C-alpha cells in the first residue's frame, strides 16, 4: 500500500474498515461524553442469557473465586507498591523495568519508552479482543445469575481505542445482596 510494509498496510486497512463500519452504521452509533462512540445492540443477548441461566451454579462459583482473587491481588499489589516505593521515589527504576501505557504500533516491533510500551498492532488487537470478550462476558454471566436485566451489549470506540460493554440495569444491581454485587464487579477483572 503505497510503499508501506505488509504489516503496516494490513493495520491501516483494518482501521479503515472499522471506520467505514462505524460510518455506515452511524444512525445506530451514539456519541456520548464527547469522544465515546457506542453501538448498542440486542444481538447476542439471548445467547448470553441462555448460557448464564443453564450453568448458573458454575458462574456463581467462578464469581466467588473472582472475589477471593480480587482481595488477594489487591493486598499483594499494595504490598508490592509499598515495597518498591523507595526505589520509585529515588528515580532508580531502569527504563526497561518501568511500566507504562500499552499502545499499538504500526510496526511489527516492540518499542519500550519511559511511560509507554508500543506493541505490534495485531498483537494488541487480538489481546484486546480476548480481554474485552472475557471481561464483559463475565460481567454478563454474573449479572444474569443474580437476575439482573441486561439492557444491551455493544461495542464502540473511545477516540480511536476499541471498546466493548454489557449494560446492566444499574438499579437492579444496587438492590442485589452484597455478595452478588461483589461477584458482579469482581468478575470482569478476574
Amino acid at each position: 500500500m503505497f510503499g508501506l510494509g505488509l504489516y503496516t498496510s494490513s493495520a491501516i486497512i483494518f482501521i479503515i474498515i472499522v471506520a467505514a463500519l462505524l460510518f455506515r452504521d452511524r444512525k445506530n452509533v451514539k456519541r456520548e461524553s464527547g469522544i465515546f462512540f457506542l453501538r448498542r445492540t440486542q444481538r447476542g443477548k439471548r445467547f448470553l442469557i441462555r448460557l448464564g441461566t443453564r450453568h448458573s451454579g458454575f458462574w456463581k462459583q467462578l464469581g466467588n473465586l473472582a472475589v477471593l482473587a480480587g482481595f488477594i491481588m489487591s493486598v499483594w499489589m499494595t504490598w508490592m507498591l509499598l515495597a518498591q516505593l523507595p526505589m520509585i521515589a529515588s528515580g532508580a527504576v531502569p527504563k526497561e523495568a518501568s511500566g507504562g501505557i500499552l499502545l499499538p504500533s504500526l510496526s511489527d516491533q516492540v518499542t519500550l519508552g519511559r511511560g509507554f510500551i508500543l506493541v505490534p498492532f495485531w498483537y494488541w488487537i487480538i489481546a484486546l479482543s480476548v480481554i474485552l470478550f472475557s471481561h464483559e462476558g463475565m460481567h454478563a454471566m454474573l449479572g444474569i445469575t443474580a437476575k439482573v436485566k441486561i439492557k444491551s451489549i455493544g461495542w464502540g470506540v473511545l477516540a480511536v481505542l476499541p471498546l466493548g460493554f454489557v449494560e446492566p440495569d444499574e438499579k437492579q444491581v444496587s438492590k442485589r445482596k452484597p455478595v452478588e454485587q461483589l461477584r458482579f464487579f469482581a468478575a470482569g477483572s478476574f
Side-chain angles (χ1 to χ4, degrees):
M1 186 172 155
F2 308 111
L4 298 174
L6 181 61
Y7 195 89
T8 303
S9 299
S10 68
I12 291 171
I13 289 168
F14 177 81
I15 292 166
I16 290 169
I17 289 171
V18 169
L21 288 172
L22 276 171
F23 182 76
R24 191 185 88 200
D25 199 27
R26 65 186 176 278
K27 68 179 186 309
N28 295 318
V29 175
K30 303 286 186 246
R31 183 176 174 188
E32 296 184 16
S33 303
I35 56 176
F36 283 99
F37 295 91
L38 302 178
R39 168 64 161 100
R40 287 179 171 80
T41 184
Q42 299 300 310
R43 186 177 287 164
K45 193 167 106 172
R46 263 189 298 179
F47 170 75
L48 290 174
I49 292 170
R50 195 168 49 246
L51 185 63
T53 53
R54 281 188 184 163
H55 307 288
S56 63
F58 169 76
W59 296 116
K60 285 179 184 176
Q61 292 307 316
L62 198 57
N64 291 336
L65 184 60
V67 170
L68 179 63
F71 281 120
I72 291 170
M73 294 306 288
S74 294
V75 170
W76 182 71
M77 285 302 297
T78 302
W79 170 258
M80 292 300 291
L81 286 172
L82 290 174
Q84 294 178 17
L85 192 58
M87 186 171 61
I88 294 169
S90 71
V93 179
K95 179 181 173 182
E96 299 81 33
S98 67
I101 187 167
L102 191 64
L103 296 170
S105 168
L106 294 178
S107 165
D108 59 355
Q109 302 296 316
V110 175
T111 304
L112 296 175
R114 191 160 287 283
F116 68 90
I117 302 168
L118 298 176
V119 295
F121 178 82
W122 289 110
Y123 288 23
W124 187 78
I125 284 293
I126 291 167
L128 187 63
S129 298
V130 169
I131 290 168
L132 283 174
F133 280 107
S134 60
H135 178 96
E136 296 304 332
M138 284 294 289
H139 280 309
M141 291 301 105
L142 274 294
I144 290 164
T145 60
K147 307 231 184 313
V148 171
K149 179 185 177 200
I150 303 298
K151 292 182 184 177
S152 66
I153 58 177
W155 63 279
V157 292
L158 164 61
V160 296
L161 302 174
L163 53 92
F165 62 90
V166 171
E167 186 177 24
D169 185 330
E170 296 291 337
K171 289 179 183 174
Q172 287 184 1
V173 171
S174 66
K175 292 178 183 177
R176 296 298 175 244
K177 295 176 189 172
V179 70
E180 290 175 330
Q181 289 180 17
L182 278 173
R183 283 186 202 131
F184 178 76
F185 293 121
S189 300
F190 183 68

